[in-house]
């Protein structure tokens, strides 16, 4: 059988659909296989990110932030409003309209680029032959010169707290509560726990986060992590570290959760419980053993730096391969793979992938943390600058947090940038650009930053790397 497609992508999440669009732009004949269907049996495009991840969570984060602004902050600005109320159905309706707009947009883009959407569950066999089982159970076989696996991930479940999609939910259920729980438990104080805990906390829930590890946000720079922890505590999030959940039970419409901490057994009673303890790749049934594709012990598909598997013409991208489970990481892998298939030697810089927690203030980072540099024995310089000394942050009444820049002590090259503070994501993105261009701390010091802007904190942190920040007393003087 002749190859029907140049590129066949399995999975239409941000990794897969972006790969498909880029491949089509480069002149390839492309199809994407997607198994997710709506009530009308139409394919659901956009994957976790657009449907139950990045976008709906940010819609609720923005709505709940506006509520807090109106409730707690408007008066400081001299604006009098009567006590704001919450209309959960309206909030959820808005979130769903944004999701629909974006997923329909993806459908339009695929169509515009001539990408075929094939509905069904894809499974890779040998010689890049893909079996697609449709919603009706019928199977068809499709051959392609290149197959790109992009089947994404799903929440991890833990035996002490089985999901019942009512009282005990994963991240998807936590985007759909019909009312604000009075007391909300969250297992796992990672990215999802903090974002969705913040949503419901802002709307009035008393939120308790039970985190197994003793360190808060261990993957973040610890100075920034400690600062973030203080800010979240001030906001009312009750974060309990070193808490190992041992069981849960529904009694009289409440979730009773037991956990061990400091050798003692504790009991907490919640109205709802979110389990957010990480995600696992969707790879169990993705490739038959004769496909030649191999998995590591955690279920991730083995790939090289260019996302090529060990099988020629088979690639894997997004949440099913090593690296952070982030939409933008998967999308850029999709672009890289599409370009490599078209013969371009594109390479993604894995050292410059930003990560962000969209709380308020945001927590954002790129590159190395101070603890990583210490562990690697790299000689470094560090500069920090607090938002409390930034005019624009004071004007906005948004002064919590700081920017931190780490540079090589010998070459001055920027190795990492970290921030907890207002617009941290956008400020760190400036440093992603700087780092991609191999910038030194001095390069940033010599640039002109608009006044008054939050980005002046980046400028001042770069100046602080060499002890000459202007708007604070420097510890080291140069
Ligand atoms: P997915 O988005 O999971 O898409 C995979 C697609 O493949 C799905 O549509 C699935 O139905 C389909 N599929 C699976 N198996 C098959 C098969 N055999 N045949 C056919 N189709 C198949 N990341 C960020 O960068 N920023 C954020 O703000 C952010 N917020 C998040 C918030 C939440 C609540 C969650 C849960 C995640 C969030 N993420 C965020 C993570 C982000 O959603 C994922 O990293 C991203 O969606 C992964 O993209 P992907 O294309 O690899 O997989
Ligand atoms: P995570 O890895 O960020 O956090 C999980 C937390 O749960 C960790 O702190 C872990 O120590 C803890 N944990 C694990 N088992 C536990 C247990 N039994 N009891 C108590 N705590 C336990 O995972 P997540 O928050 O579920 O998010 C999953 C993925 O989705 C992440 O990899 C993240 O990259 C991605 N995501 C990204 C964003 C974003 O970019 N803003 C938002 C949401 C999700």
């Amino acid at each position: 059988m002749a190859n029907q497609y140049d590129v066949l992508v399995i999975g239409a999440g941000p990794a897969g659909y972006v790969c498909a669009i880029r491949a089509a732009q480069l002149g390839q004949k492309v199809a994407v296989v997607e198994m997710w269907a709506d009530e009308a049996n139409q394919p659901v495009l956009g994957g976790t990110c657009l449907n139950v991840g990045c976008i709906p969570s940010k819609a609720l984060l923005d709505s709940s932030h506006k509520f807090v602004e109106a409730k707690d902050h408007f008066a400081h600005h001299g604006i009098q409003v009567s006590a704001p109320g919450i209309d959960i159905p309206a909030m959820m309706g808005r979130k769903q309209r944004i999701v629909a707009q974006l997923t329909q947009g993806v459908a339009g883009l695929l169509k515009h680029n001539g990408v075929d959407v094939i509905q069904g569950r894809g499974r890779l066999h040998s010689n890049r032959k893909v079996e697609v089982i449709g919603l009706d159970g019928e199977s068809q076989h499709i051959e392609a010169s290149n197959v790109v696996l992009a089947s994404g991930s799903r929440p991890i479940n833990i035996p002490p707290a089985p999901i019942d999609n009512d009282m005990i939910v994963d991240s998807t259920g936590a985007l759909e509560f019909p009312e604000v729980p009075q007391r909300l438990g969250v297992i796992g104080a990672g990215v999802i726990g903090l974002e969705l805990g913040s949503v419901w906390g802002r709307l009035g829930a008393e939120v308790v986060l039970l985190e197994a590890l003793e360190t808060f946000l261990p993957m973040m720079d610890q100075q920034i992590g400690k600062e973030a922890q203080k800010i979240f505590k001030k906001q009312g999030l009750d974060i309990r570290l070193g808490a190992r959940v041992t069981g849960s039970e529904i009694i009289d419409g409440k979730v009773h959760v037991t956990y061990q901490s400091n050798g003692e057994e504790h009991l907490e009673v919640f109205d709802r419980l979110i389990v957010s303890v990480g995600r696992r790749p969707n790879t169990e049934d993705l490739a038959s053993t004769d496909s030649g594709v191999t998995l590591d012990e955690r279920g991730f598909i083995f790939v090289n730096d260019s996302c090529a598997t060990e099988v020629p013409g088979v690639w894997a991208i997004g949440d099913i391969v090593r690296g952070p489970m982030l939409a933008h990481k998967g999308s850029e892998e999709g672009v890289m793979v599409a370009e490599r298939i078209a013969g371009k030697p594109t390479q993604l810089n894995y050292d410059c992938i930003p990560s962000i927690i969209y709380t308020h203030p945001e927590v954002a980072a790129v590159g190395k943390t101070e603890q990583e540099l210490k562990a690697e024995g790299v000689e470094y310089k560090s500069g920090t600058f607090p938002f409390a000394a930034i005019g624009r942050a004071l004007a906005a009444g948004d002064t919590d947090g700081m920017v931190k820049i780490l540079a090589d002590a010998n070459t001055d090259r920027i190795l990492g940038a970290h921030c907890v503070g207002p617009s941290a994501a956008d400020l760190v993105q400036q440093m992603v650009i700087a780092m991609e261009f191999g910038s030194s701390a001095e390069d940033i010091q010599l640039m002109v930053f608009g006044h008054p802007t939050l980005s002046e904190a980046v400028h001042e942190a770069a100046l602080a790397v060499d002890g000459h920040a202007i708007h604070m007393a420097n510890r080291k003087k140069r």
Side-chain angles (χ1 to χ4, degrees):
M1 183 163 63
N3 284 337
Q4 291 147 281
Y5 290 100
D6 300 318
V7 182
L8 183 70
V9 183
I10 300 183
Y17 85 74
V18 169
C19 180
I21 289 173
R22 185 67 188 121
Q25 286 173 345
L26 290 164
Q28 314 277 347
K29 189 167 188 300
V30 186
V32 58
V33 182
E34 175 55 59
M35 68 180 192
W36 197 339
D38 63 17
E39 304 85 41
N41 277 348
Q42 291 304 303
V44 172
L45 305 173
T48 305
C49 169
L50 262 51
N51 293 283
V52 292
C54 320
I55 297 302
S57 60
K58 266 80 252 177
L60 293 183
L61 277 158
D62 285 334
S63 297
S64 57
H65 180 62
K66 287 193 191 303
F67 174 70
V68 171
E69 288 285 282
K71 182 168 69 74
D72 297 338
H73 300 151
F74 277 12
H76 297 157
H77 289 265
I79 303 166
Q80 304 296 336
V81 287
S82 51
I86 296 168
D87 180 345
I88 292 290
M91 208 177 270
M92 295 294 167
R94 173 185 174 276
K95 175 197 69 164
Q96 278 321 116
R97 284 192 298 280
I98 295 163
V99 169
Q101 187 178 343
L102 288 170
T103 53
Q104 283 158 19
V106 171
L109 287 170
L110 291 174
K111 192 169 176 208
H112 172 80
N113 284 284
V115 176
D116 289 344
V117 176
I118 300 169
Q119 201 168 6
R121 177 189 286 268
R123 185 157 198 256
L124 178 70
H125 293 278
S126 58
N127 300 321
R128 299 178 312 281
K129 197 182 287 174
V130 172
E131 178 187 12
V132 180
I133 303 176
L135 298 182
D136 53 7
E138 293 289 307
S139 83
Q140 56 172 318
H141 288 86
I142 302 169
E143 281 184 33
S145 311
N146 289 275
V147 175
V148 183
L149 305 172
S151 53
S153 64
R154 62 183 187 282
I156 292 177
N157 296 327
I158 49 169
I163 304 297
D164 65 9
N165 288 321
D166 177 22
M167 307 292 293
I168 306 180
V169 299
D170 58 20
S171 56
T172 301
L175 294 166
E176 296 288 341
F177 287 150
E179 76 265 313
V180 181
Q182 225 172 44
R183 208 151 188 272
L184 174 65
V186 182
I187 306 183
V191 193
I192 292 178
L194 290 168
E195 289 188 356
L196 295 181
S198 291
V199 164
W200 296 106
R202 290 169 190 173
L203 296 178
E206 186 191 336
V207 181
V208 179
L209 294 108
L210 302 173
E211 165 58 50
L213 297 179
E214 298 286 351
T215 310
F216 182 63
L217 294 179
M219 71 293 187
M220 287 283 173
D221 184 278
Q222 278 310 286
Q223 189 177 3
I224 296 294
K226 287 202 176 90
E227 186 71 15
Q229 191 180 355
K230 265 194 265 167
I231 296 170
F232 295 146
K233 189 174 173 196
K234 204 167 71 180
Q235 291 176 356
L237 292 182
D238 180 351
I239 302 168
R240 303 191 191 165
L241 301 176
R244 206 171 61 78
V245 174
T246 49
S248 63
E249 204 179 344
I250 313 286
I251 303 171
D252 295 334
K254 305 263 182 198
V255 194
H256 291 235
V257 177
T258 47
Y259 69 94
Q260 282 176 353
S261 171
N262 293 325
E264 283 174 29
E265 195 80 19
H266 301 261
L267 170 72
E268 284 291 343
V269 180
F270 301 114
D271 296 291
R272 306 249 179 188
L273 180 68
I274 302 174
V275 181
S276 49
V277 294
R279 295 176 62 83
R280 73 171 75 228
N282 293 325
T283 50
E284 291 83 356
D285 212 20
L286 184 64
S288 66
T289 38
D290 63 351
S291 70
V293 169
T294 49
L295 308 180
D296 71 14
E297 69 285 351
R298 291 164 59 222
F300 291 95
I301 294 180
F302 274 118
V303 285
N304 65 12
D305 281 354
S306 316
C307 290
T309 69
E310 292 146 306
V311 184
V314 178
W315 312 76
I317 55 176
D319 280 8
I320 55 172
V321 300
R322 80 282 173 272
M325 285 182 164
L326 295 172
H328 45 280
K329 175 258 192 189
S331 295
E332 291 313 312
E333 287 178 335
V335 170
M336 170 172 71
V337 164
E339 298 199 346
R340 287 201 157 242
I341 289 171
K344 290 170 172 269
T346 308
Q347 188 58 58
L348 184 58
N349 180 0
Y350 282 95
D351 292 335
C352 266
I353 297 176
S355 65
I356 303 124
I357 307 175
Y358 294 87
T359 43
H360 192 93
E362 294 170 344
V363 189
V366 61
K368 298 286 185 187
T369 61
E370 191 164 352
Q371 63 266 22
E372 281 172 334
L373 292 176
K374 274 192 185 133
E376 290 167 18
V378 177
E379 288 179 36
Y380 64 90
K381 307 179 280 184
S382 164
T384 57
F385 196 84
F387 284 101
I390 292 292
R392 189 59 194 275
L394 281 158
D398 219 348
T399 51
D400 280 340
M402 65 168 87
V403 174
K404 174 172 182 175
I405 293 177
L406 297 163
D408 189 292
N410 301 308
T411 66
D412 198 35
R413 192 181 174 124
I414 295 172
L415 302 173
H418 308 272
C419 180
V420 51
S423 300
D426 294 304
L427 298 184
V428 163
Q429 191 61 42
Q430 299 181 6
M431 298 309 290
V432 174
I433 298 169
M435 286 170 69
E436 279 286 357
F437 283 94
S439 173
S440 64
E442 189 186 28
D443 288 330
I444 306 293
Q445 292 166 6
L446 295 174
M447 282 175 197
V448 182
F449 283 73
H451 175 76
T453 59
L454 294 172
S455 63
E456 286 173 290
V458 172
H459 191 207
E460 292 275 11
L463 291 166
V465 164
D466 289 315
H468 51 92
I470 299 294
H471 294 93
M472 71 173 186
N474 295 277
R475 276 208 210 114
K476 48 187 173 189
K477 290 211 170 59
R478 297 270 166 95

